[in-house]
Amino acid sequence: MDESDFQDVLAAVREFVRERVVPLEAEIDEKDDVPASVRDACKSMGLYGFAIPEEFGGLGLPLSQEVRLVFELGYTTPALRSMFGTNNGIAGHVLIEGGTEQQKSEWLPKLASGEVTASFALTEADAGSDPSGLATTARRSPDGSAHWVLNGSKRYITNAPLADVFMVFARTNPDVPANRGISTFLVPRGTTGLTVGPKDHKMGQFGAWTADVYLDDVRVPESALIGGADGVDKGFVTAMRCLAHGRVHIAAMCVGMAERLVDESVSFAQTRQQGGHPIGTFQLIQGLIADSVTDYRAGHALVLAAAAAYDAGTDTSVGPSAAKYFASEMVGRVADRAVQVHGGSGYMRGVPVERFYRDARLFRIYEGTSQIQQVIIARGVLGRL
């Protein structure tokens, strides 16, 4: 997007986030729901398709612009970004990276407009960051018809309670290593045999819904196989590409949250009085804030660099993992310091830093734990010894 046009988008999103969403944060956290008016506004602003190519109705932002947009989205509750994050991120990118032209033309415009919400159904009870334990299976229908039959279950699937379509990863070849025997299937909600469990009750990120997904003899046609006939056993490669993009996106979310936490800490330190002085005059408080500002700025610079390298094709593995690893750990440190600066009030429900402290913890787990990122980074620079 032309930079001047992009600046207009950023300004509109910043105003929307800070003027309309921030005042609703406590309500969203308490009710575990995002108001319909906010959802509708996000659709009209094009937020459901900012990373989807223009030819399919999206804004077509490259990652270097996407992360700047996500910095703004990260300033408020993660529930906002979660509504459309899977459409733009790991679920939508399954189609962008691996879909046939027919699959793209049928589904991407619906994702971009917000008519359809997609879920990325990879994680299972015994297969999360490492898919080697993937137990969901897909077998060709024994009756000789051109169908696949899926059986298994998925866990912690984002947007599952409201998703219209699921990108389901299943083992199609049990006789080869996991990274060569997995395929991806597009399964619409309402398909016989697909059921969604109750919403998970999580530590934080209320308003961002996850749930288990169950597949019991789910029959889908050949056209549901992502990539068509060429997509058999290619699901792992597709998943890794989607996750690499998603990791930079999540890193940008962490940076946006860190900025908000710094702002909350600074504001509190300037106004909270102790001994007749603002606590910001105390050097130990200044030290906490200085560390958080430094962490935030380092994360901001790292994400921009990782996004630029990803767009250039010069680093699509180590860079995304390094950004996600550092930024997710960084925002946890900044959140912890923010609670400390606030003292007892930082431990009270209804105070933003308490909520963000709970929200931040998940970033170190999903889309690859910090430990998985360490492995990816080390192997990327050392090679497989």
Side-chain angles (χ1 to χ4, degrees), residues 56 100-110:
F56 300 110
T100 64
E101 290 306 312
Q102 182 176 350
Q103 289 167 341
K104 293 177 183 178
S105 61
E106 179 180 358
W107 288 98
L108 286 178
K110 297 177 183 178

Side-chain angles (χ1 to χ4, degrees), residues 214-357:
Y214 305 99
L215 305 120
D216 184 12
D217 286 337
V218 173
R219 288 172 58 87
V220 294
E222 288 280 354
S223 60
L225 177 63
I226 297 296
D230 292 336
V232 177
D233 297 344
K234 302 291 179 60
F236 180 84
V237 174
T238 299
M240 292 304 100
R241 289 174 179 167
C242 296
L243 287 169
H245 174 275
R247 284 164 181 159
V248 184
H249 178 109
I250 293 300
M253 273 292 295
C254 295
V255 170
M257 183 180 287
E259 181 184 11
R260 172 67 180 283
L261 286 160
V262 167
D263 286 352
E264 293 287 341
S265 299
V266 170
S267 177
F268 189 84
Q270 289 172 333
T271 56
R272 174 70 164 90
Q273 296 283 319
Q274 185 71 37
H277 303 280
I279 64 171
T281 62
F282 302 141
Q283 288 186 340
L284 292 179
I285 296 295
Q286 293 173 2
L288 291 171
I289 291 175
D291 286 349
S292 290
V293 170
T294 302
D295 261 345
Y296 157 67
R297 291 193 174 194
H300 188 276
L302 176 58
V303 169
L304 290 176
Y310 185 94
D311 283 341
T314 56
D315 187 352
T316 58
S317 179
V318 172
S321 286
K324 201 269 184 182
Y325 175 45
F326 178 83
S328 62
E329 296 283 341
M330 173 273 293
V331 75
R333 295 192 295 269
V334 174
D336 185 75
R337 294 189 199 107
V339 171
Q340 197 71 14
V341 168
H342 279 68
S345 68
Y347 200 66
M348 297 295 113
R349 289 292 176 112
V351 177
V353 298
E354 181 276 335
R355 183 178 65 250
F356 285 121
Y357 183 86

Side-chain angles (χ1 to χ4, degrees), residues 39 76 113 127 145 197 220 313 324 348 381:
R39 295 181 185 274
T76 188
S113 68
S145 63
V220 294
K324 201 269 184 182
M348 297 295 113
V381 297

